[in-house]
Amino acid sequence: QVQLVESGGGLVQPGGSLRLSCAASRSIFSIYPMAWYRQAPGKQRELVARISIGGSTNYANSVKGRFTISRDNAKNTMYLQMNSLNPDDTAVYYCNTDRPARVSWGQGTQVTVSS
């Protein structure tokens, strides 16, 4: 059974915006803090943003002020609003718990920022 499903990626021009969604199993979403990660070509996977069960957030310095993480507990869904995108944001974006060893990775969603 698929536990994490990312969606919303695509091709966008520099300066544009995208909103990513992560649908999670209730058993995961209701218990653990959640996070967005990304992996750019030739680079290691990195933490982008984190959100606690209560809604407290943390961001990587590279996205602070541009990205907003949020969660809808009623829908078991997490979001990443990405504004002012630049080519360095190009990556496959994944959602998981803040300790990802707990849950298998999903397929991710590709975000490509290019003219």
Side-chain angles (χ1 to χ4, degrees):
Q1 183 172 215
V2 177
Q3 295 179 288
L4 298 167
V5 180
E6 300 93 345
S7 63
L11 176 64
V12 64
Q13 296 183 16
S17 298
L18 286 172
R19 190 179 76 152
L20 308 183
S21 297
C22 169
S25 299
R26 191 189 315 275
S27 60
I28 296 172
F29 201 81
S30 64
I31 296 175
Y32 301 110
M34 298 293 294
W36 284 98
Y37 305 81
R38 68 184 182 187
Q39 187 166 24
K43 297 183 178 180
Q44 295 182 332
R45 183 182 287 114
E46 65 173 339
L47 178 69
V48 175
R50 175 189 180 275
I51 186 166
S52 72
I53 296 172
S56 298
T57 59
N58 301 97
Y59 298 91
N61 289 334
S62 59
V63 307
K64 193 174 299 182
R66 300 187 298 119
F67 291 11
T68 302
I69 188 172
S70 61
R71 61 192 293 162
D72 186 334
N73 292 335
K75 296 181 178 180
N76 299 314
T77 302
M78 180 175 63
Y79 305 96
L80 185 67
Q81 178 66 48
M82 305 186 295
N83 299 324
S84 301
L85 287 164
N86 61 66
D88 289 339
D89 297 317
T90 295
V92 178
Y93 284 71
Y94 302 88
C95 62
N96 212 304
T97 68
D98 68 335
R99 297 293 183 267
R102 297 164 174 157
V103 183
S104 297
W105 296 98
Q107 292 186 346
T109 185
Q110 175 71 51
V111 172
T112 302
V113 185
S114 176
S115 298

